[in-house]
Amino acid sequence: GLLGLFSFLLTRYCYAMVAKGQLPSAFGSENKPAPINRALVFAFNFFAPWVLFILAFSTMSFYLHYSAPALAFILVGVMLLVPLGCGVAGVKAQAAETGMRWLPLSVGTLVINIAVGSYTGAENFMRNMQPFYDVDSLNAYDAVDPHARGQAYMDAGRVRFSPEAAVHAEFSIGFKNLNVYCVAPIMGANQTYADFWAVGVNCCDGGKFECGEMSALAHSGLRVMRDDETPFYRLGVQQAMAEHGLRSTHPVFFYWLVDPRAEALDMSAEGSRWYLVAILFSLLFNLFYGGLASNIAK
């Protein structure tokens, strides 16, 4: 509702600025043409695109996209009503003849901010926020027996294994498909069945496995939630089964870590960093464009 109201007000303001070359009545008398106020042109061309960028990025990046993806896309569509309304207003007012040469550029800048904000927000969601939300919504288990079947832990997000569990690097395999997708079984001594696997990308070579935190303090796993990586890890498990005589029915993949909760929070923090950097770049771009628009306004 608030987003729709904001879009309506911005569109209405576009109409007020361009209609017959007049400004809103607060800055010129009703039905009396007023000269273009460059400060207002700058304010509109700076704040409107920047705010729309922030709204688009936030909508596509954070929890709304996770909990109600269809609604997130609808809201982005609502944002596009702003440049559409400004474009229609400009055509009706014949902006080129009323000193509004900046308006076509403004319409394009509004669209660019919404499109770039939506795209970068979706990238941030896929890389950082969705894995965090996925893991955070799953269960945490303690003292997990490495002999256990993976089917019993399909809802595991964070796992601390029993003391006998270890990553057996001697059974590691790297499946190559542009990148090398590395897998190594998490097992106890003299175990040949493994449903728990430590994984990583480009971190194994010739029997060496250096994925995650391979230290004496590491004894936990953070569930892998990347759908673009999991199929390659499964192929790696199949290769390890064929080469080392291991058995695995329901493989579950983890990053081997000291503190998986801290790693999950790092995903969220990285998503916030993306957000702040994106806002800063958009701020600088729209400051530049706001100044450009005010300079070409008559």
Side-chain angles (χ1 to χ4, degrees), residues 212-213 217-222 255-261 263-264:
E213 298 173 343
L217 297 177
H219 215 72
S220 301
L222 179 68
Y255 302 113
W256 189 249
L257 302 167
V258 175
D259 187 349
R261 178 59 179 169
E263 185 71 17

Side-chain angles (χ1 to χ4, degrees), residues 5 21 29 67 106 114 117 148 150 168 211 253 256 284 286:
L5 177 62
S29 60
S67 61
S106 296
I114 295 171
H168 286 253
C211 307
F253 305 113
W256 189 249
L284 296 175
N286 289 301

